[in-house]
Each structure stands twice: as C-alpha cells, then as structure tokens.
Amino acid sequence: MGQVLHGSARTTEAVRRAIQHSQESLRVLAQRHGINQKTVAKWKNRISATDLPTGPRAGCGAGADRTVCACLSVGEVALRQAIRTRNLKSAADIGAAL
C-alpha cells in the first residue's frame, strides 16, 4: 500500500531520507526534487524522515498558543482564554499579565 500524503505534501519519506543522507548542496537537492531550499534545509536538520503531526495538542484550548500552554496549568489556560474573549487582548499581553 502506498504512503498517504496530505494535500500540500511535496515529499515522500523516501525523498526525505534521500535528502537527509545526501552531501549535495541545498540548491541542487531543491532543484532535483522540485521543492524550496528551505524545505530541503528543514529535512536535513530533522532526525526522522516522518512528517510531524499537526493539529491541536492535548492540554491546550482551541486556538491557544502552544508555547504558553506548555507551562500553564489547565486553570491558568482557562483564565487566559476568558480574559482574551472579554477584553480582546492578545496572547502576549495576557501572558505578560500572568
């Protein structure tokens, strides 16, 4: 069975592994595979050739900033969300206040 890719995917695991093991320049690899040099650089720096999961992570509210949720308790996240909806403040403003 073939690999299932999302609609925006331009590389397969085989291409990613080839990029990771190649000694050629970013430019040459990008031209060969028809992708951006930044994409090649991203895959060269990754440990694994598997794509990272996307979507919300456990413990974060809808639309929550993941970097803030990693260090806040569930109650603090709920408080931050309530302040944001009432006062229409940015996540950075709320984080600075907490």
Side-chain angles (χ1 to χ4, degrees), residues 2-63:
Q3 184 179 1
V4 178
L5 301 173
H6 59 79
S8 299
R10 300 288 305 265
T11 60
T12 62
E13 282 194 43
V15 170
R16 296 173 200 150
R17 277 193 298 276
I19 289 170
Q20 289 174 341
H21 296 297
S22 176
Q23 297 299 317
E24 294 179 310
S25 71
L26 299 180
R27 172 181 258 169
V28 170
L29 289 170
Q31 288 175 344
R32 174 178 299 134
H33 298 293
I35 56 178
N36 192 305
Q37 289 183 36
K38 289 181 182 180
T39 304
V40 174
K42 174 182 78 171
W43 287 113
K44 275 210 166 275
N45 291 327
R46 290 251 179 109
I47 296 170
S48 171
T50 56
D51 209 357
L52 297 176
T54 59
R57 296 186 180 144
C60 291

